[in-house]
Amino acid sequence: IVASSGRPADAAASGLRYRFRHHLFQAYLYNTLDEGRRVWLHRAVGSALEAQDAQAKTASGVTPQALAWHFTQAGEHARAAGHLRTASQGALAAHAHVTAVDLLTQALALTPPEDHSARFALLAMREQAHTLLRDQRSRAQDVGELERLAALTQQPSQQLGAALRRATLAEETTHYWEAITGVNAALTLAVAAGDLAAQVEAHLLAGRSHWWRGEISLAHASYVRALHSAQAMETPTLVGLCRLHVGIAAWSLGDLAGADAVFSELLESPTHSEDLLLRGCALMGSGMVVYTRGEYGRAEGLLDAALSLAHQLHHPWLEGQVLLNQVALYRLSMCCAECLALYPQLLQHCQAIDD
């Protein structure tokens, strides 16, 4: 059609545009192209759109999916897989987790089995999406494949990542001893690599697993080790998170003075003043210490402040934890009416989380 109009075949590159009135006519003409010509055109169009996108970004209107389709049809699977990965990152950022899984599965299908490192990166992202979807069966399959690939590549970073994912999966599916065993393997790799962030993650994971097994002293020790690693990193957010775990464990062990010192430091430290979630948790922790000491009026004020922050942040987990502690407070202080009034709120909260 372009040729018969007397225009050059690359007229579109000069800013000229044309369109089809019906997609069936477009499909007919597309199918009349010989395979070599079709591949060449897809590669040319894909490359042109890629260059346009690199210059104008979002203003170009070019989507990674469109680029992936052109390069797939052109047989350039590596470029197509790269654009599918970019598209999946956008989907994850937009909380479109099902779409992300579909895009990453397509990218994996285009990635050669022998390209272990590329497949590992794609599988790690898909495992993250399956985690957010709470699809534990698919997640377990991804973790198993990550472990297999890490064993083939013998790359310490991949072995560490796979070990942490296995331990995390075990902890979140209530296989706590398996999680602790996995953490020990991950810690060996993390220490050898000097990876402090991985050490923090592993110690926190071990602490939670010991906690759920009722081994509070062991959990406390793991949280303290996590805190030491976080302090070595000089990362305020991680330090605050680890301090919070140490404080909760200290309270559970009956060390009210130790717990009070931790929560007070979190509330008074200017470093953590802008972290509202951490502040809410610290207020709740202080309330727990205070009502355990029998100072019910002061505890009520601290827990009310924590609940207000939870509402402000729209944070279901913190809200639920504060409500549970308010129930504990009113039971201890024999405020039966206030205690009974909280149960409908707790039930409504649980139903909202399930929905």
Side-chain angles (χ1 to χ4, degrees):
I1 294 175
V2 175
S4 64
S5 69
R7 300 183 184 278
D10 61 348
S14 303
L16 297 173
R17 298 289 185 268
Y18 61 89
R19 62 178 180 173
F20 295 94
R21 288 184 178 273
H22 200 288
H23 71 90
L24 289 177
F25 185 46
Q26 180 185 14
Y28 168 76
L29 291 174
Y30 178 83
N31 290 329
T32 60
L33 292 170
D34 65 80
E35 184 176 353
R37 178 67 172 170
R38 188 185 306 165
V39 166
W40 182 88
L41 285 171
H42 275 297
R43 184 181 297 113
V45 171
S47 297
L49 290 175
E50 196 174 52
Q52 180 182 337
D53 184 55
Q55 291 180 350
K57 293 299 179 185
T58 54
S60 70
V62 179
T63 65
Q65 292 92 323
L67 292 170
W69 181 72
H70 281 295
F71 288 124
T72 299
Q73 299 303 314
E76 297 202 15
H77 293 167
R79 292 173 79 178
H83 288 296
L84 287 168
R85 179 176 176 176
T86 300
S88 71
Q89 291 170 334
L92 283 171
H95 306 289
H97 304 136
V98 174
T99 301
V101 167
D102 181 57
L103 291 167
L104 290 163
T105 301
Q106 292 178 50
L108 282 163
L110 295 172
T111 305
E114 62 273 14
D115 193 346
H116 301 144
S117 293
R119 294 187 68 82
F120 187 96
L122 293 168
L123 276 164
M125 291 180 65
R126 193 173 72 175
E127 190 269 344
Q128 178 190 357
H130 281 140
T131 298
L132 295 167
L133 288 168
R134 299 181 183 178
D135 184 349
Q136 304 294 27
R137 178 175 296 181
S138 298
R139 182 184 176 191
Q141 291 174 349
D142 284 347
V143 170
E145 183 63 10
L146 285 168
E147 290 173 323
R148 187 187 73 83
L149 290 171
L152 289 171
T153 63
Q154 288 295 301
Q155 291 187 21
S157 61
Q158 293 184 357
Q159 291 175 322
L160 173 57
L164 282 173
R165 288 168 189 269
R166 171 60 69 187
T168 302
L169 175 62
E171 188 257 334
E172 292 180 4
T173 53
T174 71
H175 296 93
Y176 301 123
W177 183 249
E178 181 186 342
I180 292 166
T181 303
V183 162
N184 291 334
L187 275 171
T188 300
L189 291 164
V191 171
D195 190 334
L196 289 172
Q199 291 176 48
V200 172
E201 182 180 352
H203 285 309
L204 288 175
L205 184 53
R208 291 196 302 271
S209 299
H210 283 303
W211 176 279
W212 291 116
R213 283 170 58 87
E215 300 162 345
I216 308 302
S217 295
L218 292 173
H220 182 267
S222 292
Y223 293 148
V224 169
R225 286 192 285 269
L227 177 58
H228 291 161
S229 296
Q231 288 171 328
M233 291 178 65
E234 299 182 352
T235 306
T237 303
L238 274 180
V239 170
L241 176 65
C242 294
R243 284 194 190 281
L244 184 65
H245 281 79
V246 170
I248 296 293
W251 173 80
S252 298
L253 289 170
D255 180 9
L256 299 185
D260 191 30
V262 169
F263 296 134
S264 296
E265 183 175 356
L266 286 172
L267 290 171
E268 295 168 7
S269 170
T271 307
H272 306 300
S273 60
E274 296 183 2
D275 190 333
L276 295 183
L277 176 58
L278 187 62
R279 181 172 181 79
C281 291
L283 284 167
M284 179 183 71
S286 290
M288 291 159 58
V289 170
V290 171
Y291 75 60
T292 305
R293 287 175 172 164
E295 302 173 38
Y296 302 131
R298 184 176 166 219
E300 185 175 20
L302 288 166
L303 292 176
D304 284 345
L307 187 60
S308 176
L309 271 178
H311 290 156
Q312 179 182 338
L313 295 168
H314 304 288
H315 201 286
W317 178 87
L318 179 57
E319 181 182 352
Q321 294 300 309
V322 175
L323 286 172
L324 286 171
N325 277 287
Q326 286 182 324
V327 169
L329 164 65
Y330 291 134
R331 287 179 63 186
L332 286 171
S333 60
M334 303 298 290
C335 296
C336 299
E338 289 85 349
C339 185
L340 288 172
L342 282 176
Y343 281 106
Q345 292 185 51
L346 269 173
L347 180 60
Q348 184 179 8
H349 174 77
C350 293
Q351 289 174 337
I353 291 177
D354 288 340
D355 293 340

